[in-house]
Amino acid sequence: MVDLKVKLGQVELKNPVMTASGTFGYGTEYQDFIDLSRIGGIVVKGTTLRSRQGNAYPRMAETPLGMLNAVGLQNKGVDYFVNNIYPTIKDFETAIFVNVSGSTIDDYIITAEMLNDLDRIPGIELNISCPNVKEGGMAFGTSCLSASQVVREVRKVYKKEIMVKLSPNVTDIAEIALAVEAEGADSISLINTILGMAINAEKRIPVLSTITGGLSGPAVKPVALRMVWQVANAVKVPVIGMGGIMNATDAIEFLLAGASAIQIGTANFIDPTVSIKVLEGIEDYLKRHNFSSVNDIIGALEV
Amino acid sequence: MVDLKVKLGQVELKNPVMTASGTFGYGTEYQDFIDLSRIGGIVVKGTTLRSRQGNAYPRMAETPLGMLNAVGLQNKGVDYFVNNIYPTIKDFETAIFVNVSGSTIDDYIITAEMLNDLDRIPGIELNISCPNVKEGGMAFGTSCLSASQVVREVRKVYKKEIMVKLSPNVTDIAEIALAVEAEGADSISLINTILGMAINAEKRIPVLSTITGGLSGPAVKPVALRMVWQVANAVKVPVIGMGGIMNATDAIEFLLAGASAIQIGTANFIDPTVSIKVLEGIEDYLKRHNFSSVNDIIGALEV
Amino acid sequence: MLDLIVKENKQLNNQYFLLILGSPDELPEMYPGQFVEVRVDNSPETFLRRPISINFVDYKRNELWLLIQIIGEGTRKLSTCKQGDLLNLLLPLGNSYTIPTNEDSKLLLVGGGVGIAPLLYLGSKLKEKGIICDFLLGGRSKYNLLQLEEFSNFGNVFTTTEDGTYGEKGFVTNHSILTNKKYDLIYSCGPTPMMKAVAAYAKSKNTECEVSLENTMACGFGACLCCVTDSVDGHVCVCTEGPVFNTSKLKW
Amino acid sequence: MLDLIVKENKQLNNQYFLLILGSPDELPEMYPGQFVEVRVDNSPETFLRRPISINFVDYKRNELWLLIQIIGEGTRKLSTCKQGDLLNLLLPLGNSYTIPTNEDSKLLLVGGGVGIAPLLYLGSKLKEKGIICDFLLGGRSKYNLLQLEEFSNFGNVFTTTEDGTYGEKGFVTNHSILTNKKYDLIYSCGPTPMMKAVAAYAKSKNTECEVSLENTMACGFGACLCCVTDSVDGHVCVCTEGPVFNTSKLKW
Ligand SMILES: Cc1cc2nc3c(=O)[nH]c(=O)nc-3n(C[C@H](O)[C@H](O)[C@H](O)COP(=O)(O)OP(=O)(O)OC[C@H]3O[C@@H](n4cnc5c(N)ncnc54)[C@H](O)[C@@H]3O)c2cc1C
Ligand SMILES: Cc1cc2nc3c(=O)[nH]c(=O)nc-3n(C[C@H](O)[C@H](O)[C@H](O)COP(=O)(O)OP(=O)(O)OC[C@H]3O[C@@H](n4cnc5c(N)ncnc54)[C@H](O)[C@@H]3O)c2cc1C
Ligand SMILES: Cc1cc2nc3c(=O)[nH]c(=O)nc-3n(C[C@H](O)[C@H](O)[C@H](O)COP(=O)(O)O)c2cc1C
Ligand SMILES: Cc1cc2nc3c(=O)[nH]c(=O)nc-3n(C[C@H](O)[C@H](O)[C@H](O)COP(=O)(O)O)c2cc1C
Ligand code: FES
Ligand code: FES
């Protein structure tokens, strides 16, 4: 038996395979397909202080081995989450993180505070990188100053794990990572989607109602891998890697680059059982290469 | 007959289809495949003041619908270009631009000066965005300050068209575009490659000798399209769009987003005749939609 | 998620084909209006699955029918399926058309183009309940009217073509049957302008109307929130709260 | 760039297959050591073309042979080609092995694994010139020795396997023929460690040696500069200045 447990700051996961926010609903959507208790962790949908309708349809465009989305954080607000959703998911035997977004720093603070007392939520993922909202969102994640500020303020009120999710739409991602680490981030996840655009040439219109949207899927993998490598080499806190992971080999590449855990996003849409396959594939790899623990390959790239 | 002519600042192209630097050699490599006189323009290989051996092998990694390269500007230097290559290509009946790179501002200045007097070279493409060299290169293109400086100094010595090629590895590409426009760029081309990375999971080593490299191909198209759209909306000078163009539809998307011409890069490797197919496809599109000139669709996206 | 075997790929004409998929195991129960998400293999242009309505289910033979129009690369690739190929599907997805409990219900099923696909299965289920419905099927031309024989097994078939090459000339909403008969419930599936016209007709007659929407989808099972439509309850997912909607719920 | 028709896809064993491609038109002249760049269609994992050596050309039948080992997705996909499929190729690419003018030349062709591919065509060209060469073919086991019958049509065949299941046991460079005979020129193609060992042997005997390199390529025709090898002249492209190199030019 290989040891798959990984530690993300204060939280231990039974294995490094998590699912990414906005692609896995609240987990319930996948219960018919997989045994949720097998995966390491779930990051639920982007949650905001107040209920949001999200952007107008169309919100999705298929691109070469990828997709653009412009969902725009549709959700019923943190109150609804606490009172109506949390009770239905709290008994899932996996680590559940809530992805928190806001238009203002106060939004972040109040939302985080409201999640403090949920026993079965070991931490939040602070989304300072959503490209699909007009105010706030990505803007916070694209400068060291504003990124630091959000983390600093949330750190004051939120007691458990703060995982900060970075935007790839920046010149120097390691710099932002160092800034949020300095403010007390327990771990850093990346990448969120890359800002992109799709055009319907026949109709001469943008495909998305918002013109631009966030790119995810295999297309972004090389960029994500590079950024995870840069960040893992810069910071001391654990890094959670994601972006285009479709199979175990992809996941292993992120672990080798320095990620302590990985998240699977878009791939869930194509194969709702992919997280289990990735988990089994990592286990096979470790056995085949005679590693006794997944920790042996984290950051083990030979350069 | 539809009119395909486009104007790039001081230079008129017979049509908007150009080939991208580093992917089309000096044109000669493609003479067996296509009639070079049919395409709108060729940007030849990255040229530097002194001869460069480029990076160590391996320099290439295949990625999901894309590739990473780390060629590192291998070339024999501008002297060799002027004396040995220029004479062999100067009679090609297409607009030939020389892609100029440097490690220091002086490099750029001297190289540009040496190209001033080549009659059949109507302009240079100032590459301030190559991610594959240790010094200079991309660094110049990732801040407004250094980007402005290069363009300002080269503008002083180079009399003809200066097309400035931007790096996509930045937080706000429109800002950089405005900065180089203000210093006298005649046109702006984008995107150069996006910094990425590939890992050989079985061997636990990076695929590239340089660890990271530049991503190109269809995978980057949504990002390139978004950046071209942002830059075309920000500046007044013509924009030349590229990144993942594989067929006429892709090219038309860039024109609609605001590019006055397009460049084809990686696609040439897979189909060395692709530039002619793109040209014919654009012509077909214009006829089918009853446009008399390609200029009618430049920036014609309805938002 | 399951793999079904292509038993037959019938090219109906150069735009439409019918995939008859088989399974060695018993097929799960499926309701009319539900759909499947097909993975399109060996197609670099097709990253996401493609949603396709359930056209018919033959539980005795363990057969699932998909009626497909070639639109882009995904459907073109599917049109090249050969007997014996495996297709990976998520199924059944979405809600379904309402089956009235009253056997005397007067029902009209209005389909346009490939939108007729779910109506065949709906008609068959209605007949099982003892209801013989009216089908009103429209297309641009004769060429776009499909499965007329199959439809006639389950109800009365009325047709229109825009060019008059078959049935009454004009749009479905111009068909004489609409002036002559009164229905309790109208079901519709087809191009949005057609469904909107049908909905307007139904409203003018104070008749309930259910339509099936075809928003673009990334997942098909409620996880991505990409497929929303605007409803009286705000943005709702077409893949889980639909694809079938009572038009009173939509902001049409 | 041209499309050739798959006339036959012979599965040699579960690792190797031979594609026999045909053309209605006359094939261009190709030299031994040259290669083709194959476009792999319907394979989302295979973006770039794949370089494959020219294994044999039959100008009378207008046939081109490609001997391929399944390594990853691209070659796996090619292994599923069926008779009648079209393959898009760039050809012929690269330089070629030197054909000696002297008919009395004593030549040794050393191949390992699938690296034997270009040596068959080289042997046939040498025989056309009236030179009967020696082939020294090695593999991990019997399973990895291919086309022995074809080779024996053009020269004398000697073999080694690492596990001793066929021919002499050991590496090619351990074969007794190397101690017994003296050659004017040695050609080699196969895994780099093998070619390096052959080159070292040749050097020790003061014999000229030509090897064929298999660097990863993006274009195959000199446009991308990705395929370089370090040579006495600095970085040179394997696709245009090679794939065949005299080992005196390499920094081995
Ligand atoms: C619930 C549901 C049931 C469906 N049932 C059927 C069915 O039974 N038979 C059938 O033939 N088709 C059906 N469709 C439509 C089918 O899913 C699309 O035609 C298919 O996905 C197109 O894929 P493609 O790769 O061929 O074309 P693509 O390359 O994806 O698209 C080609 C062009 O068509 C347009 N397009 C594609 N799909 C849609 C859409 N859903 N809405 C608006 N524009 C679109 C796009 O603008 C694109 O430019 C259904 C759709 C849904 C949501
Ligand atoms: C000039 C030339 C001639 C060739 N002739 C033949 C031939 O006749 N028959 C034949 O079977 N093969 C030949 N090859 C090798 C062949 O091109 C590769 O095996 C093929 O491209 C692998 O593609 P794939 O998609 O199957 O594997 P991929 O998925 O591309 O690769 C699988 C793994 O193999 C490794 N790999 C693949 N190609 C190479 C390489 N060239 N060098 C080092 N590592 C590599 C990679 O690390 C990768 O991880 C030749 C190569 C060259 C350059
Ligand atoms: C439809 C969709 C919705 C998403 N919503 C969110 C979100 O609410 N919050 C967030 O932090 N990331 C969101 N993301 C980003 C993913 O969590 C992930 O960072 C990104 O998709 C890259 O991973 P992937 O390539 O595996 O999908 C969303 C992505 C998609 C595709
Ligand atoms: C192998 C290779 C070499 C390149 N060399 C250069 C170069 O020397 N100078 C430059 O400005 N861009 C260079 N580029 C970038 C391309 O010109 C182009 O900006 C990029 O590849 C995006 O376009 P594409 O997706 O169509 O390839 C190179 C790209 C590739 C793939
Ligand atoms: S398609 Fe994903 S939620 Fe409907
Ligand atoms: S493979 Fe492109 S130059 Fe050799």
Side-chain angles (χ1 to χ4, degrees), chain D residues 16-252:
Chain D
Y16 304 95
F17 60 102
L18 177 72
L19 289 181
I20 301 187
L21 306 177
S23 164
D25 307 316
E26 219 172 284
L27 288 171
E29 192 168 359
M30 295 175 248
Y31 301 100
Q34 289 192 299
F35 64 99
V36 304
E37 280 275 5
V38 189
R39 198 181 66 206
V40 186
D41 296 332
N42 304 318
S43 174
E45 293 86 358
T46 314
F47 174 58
L48 300 166
R49 288 175 180 264
R50 293 295 187 262
I52 300 293
S53 302
I54 292 167
N55 178 226
F56 190 66
V57 190
D58 185 331
Y59 291 100
K60 282 191 230 98
R61 310 169 122 193
N62 268 320
E63 275 179 12
L64 168 66
W65 293 18
L66 303 178
L67 179 73
I68 305 178
Q69 178 175 18
I70 299 176
I71 292 288
E73 263 314 299
T75 48
R76 198 199 55 72
K77 190 79 195 178
L78 290 174
S79 76
T80 65
C81 277
K82 287 189 183 50
Q83 202 186 323
D85 286 356
L86 288 183
L87 271 194
N88 183 275
L89 306 175
L90 304 179
L91 99 196
L93 302 171
N95 70 355
S96 60
Y97 289 109
T98 309
I99 306 276
T101 42
N102 180 352
E103 289 175 22
D104 297 330
S105 300
K106 299 268 168 292
L107 304 177
L108 177 68
L109 282 61
V110 189
V114 80
I116 61 158
L119 303 183
L120 184 68
Y121 189 45
L122 174 58
S124 78
K125 284 290 181 187
L126 292 171
K127 191 172 174 190
E128 273 179 24
K129 281 268 169 187
I131 308 177
I132 303 298
C133 64
D134 287 349
F135 295 108
L136 174 52
L137 310 174
R140 202 160 303 162
S141 104
K142 186 167 86 175
Y143 214 64
N144 307 96
L145 292 177
L146 306 165
Q147 297 186 310
L148 295 184
E149 215 178 294
E150 285 82 353
F151 277 103
S152 66
N153 292 333
F154 305 123
N156 312 303
V157 179
F158 304 90
T159 55
T160 62
T161 52
E162 289 174 39
D163 63 2
T165 46
Y166 196 93
E168 290 188 18
K169 182 168 173 161
F171 295 112
V172 282
T173 40
N174 305 138
H175 196 281
S176 52
I177 193 176
L178 295 184
T179 43
N180 302 337
K181 272 180 104 169
K182 170 91 180 92
Y183 295 97
D184 301 315
L185 178 52
I186 299 178
Y187 306 91
S188 180
C189 184
T192 307
M194 185 208 84
M195 291 196 290
K196 287 197 171 165
V198 172
Y201 166 81
K203 197 168 185 183
S204 75
K205 299 283 175 186
N206 257 318
T207 308
E208 295 273 299
C209 180
E210 291 186 352
V211 295
S212 177
L213 302 187
E214 291 203 352
N215 284 10
T216 48
M217 296 180 172
C219 71
F221 49 88
C224 75
L225 305 191
C226 288
C227 62
V228 291
T229 191
D230 219 4
S231 78
V232 293
D233 306 322
H235 282 151
V236 294
C237 283
V238 170
C239 70
T240 48
E241 319 233 349
V244 178
F245 290 90
N246 190 303
T247 50
S248 64
K249 292 277 181 195
L250 297 175
K251 291 196 168 164
W252 277 13

Side-chain angles (χ1 to χ4, degrees), chain A residues 200, chain C residues 35 50-53 67-69 71-75 114 117 213-217 243:
Chain A
N200 183 325
Chain C
F35 65 100
R50 294 296 187 262
I52 300 291
S53 302
L67 179 71
I68 305 179
Q69 178 175 17
I71 291 288
E73 262 315 298
T75 48
V114 80
L213 303 187
E214 292 203 352
N215 284 11
T216 48
M217 297 180 171

Side-chain angles (χ1 to χ4, degrees), chain A residues 55-302:
Chain A
N55 295 315
Y57 178 83
R59 298 176 171 186
M60 191 274 285
E62 192 179 40
T63 64
L65 284 183
M67 63 175 276
L68 291 166
N69 89 79
V71 170
L73 295 173
Q74 176 174 337
N75 79 102
K76 297 195 168 157
V78 64
D79 253 338
Y80 188 88
F81 176 79
V82 170
N83 298 315
N84 300 78
I85 298 172
Y86 176 68
T88 68
I89 65 172
K90 73 178 180 29
D91 295 327
F92 290 161
E93 289 168 33
T94 185
I96 303 171
F97 293 80
V98 180
N99 181 270
V100 172
S101 266
S103 312
T104 65
I105 295 202
D106 277 347
D107 282 5
Y108 279 103
I109 297 174
I110 306 171
T111 309
E113 246 179 333
M114 290 180 65
L115 296 166
N116 239 332
D117 299 328
L118 303 183
D119 271 3
R120 303 299 303 269
I121 305 289
I124 56 174
E125 182 179 56
L126 215 54
N127 179 7
I128 55 167
S129 48
C130 182
N132 294 321
V133 288
K134 282 214 191 67
E135 349 66 46
M138 184 169 102
F140 286 112
T142 55
S143 91
C144 289
L145 203 72
S146 54
S148 307
Q149 207 184 345
V150 181
V151 178
R152 188 185 318 133
E153 297 303 322
V154 173
R155 180 75 290 173
K156 288 182 191 156
V157 301
Y158 190 72
K159 306 285 169 267
K160 292 185 274 182
E161 170 102 1
I162 299 181
M163 186 188 292
V164 180
K165 185 164 180 181
L166 301 186
S167 169
N169 302 294
V170 297
T171 308
D172 184 353
I173 197 160
E175 190 184 87
I176 314 264
L178 285 166
V180 302
E181 180 185 43
E183 299 296 345
D186 297 294
S187 58
I188 292 173
S189 60
L190 71 160
I191 61 171
N192 208 318
T193 53
I194 306 183
L195 198 62
M197 177 171 175
I199 287 176
N200 183 325
E202 284 304 308
K203 299 189 179 157
R204 287 186 288 284
I205 54 172
V207 178
L208 301 174
S209 69
T210 48
I211 306 179
T212 60
L215 183 66
S216 63
V220 309
K221 194 187 76 171
V223 180
L225 209 50
R226 180 263 295 183
M227 291 187 165
V228 166
W229 162 253
Q230 289 178 324
V231 169
N233 278 303
V235 301
K236 292 193 192 64
V237 295
V239 169
I240 298 95
M242 79 194 91
I245 295 176
M246 296 296 284
N247 53 45
T249 306
D250 294 337
I252 291 161
E253 291 167 15
F254 279 87
L255 298 173
L256 292 169
S260 296
I262 56 97
Q263 291 182 19
I264 303 177
T266 308
N268 291 300
F269 303 155
I270 292 142
D271 181 355
T273 70
V274 66
S275 49
I276 302 298
K277 289 176 185 159
V278 167
L279 175 58
E280 290 172 348
I282 294 175
E283 220 172 329
D284 284 351
Y285 177 93
L286 294 172
K287 284 182 194 153
R288 194 155 44 80
H289 289 268
N290 286 314
F291 290 111
S292 58
S293 160
V294 67
N295 291 288
D296 295 342
I297 66 166
I298 293 171
L301 193 73
E302 286 161 28

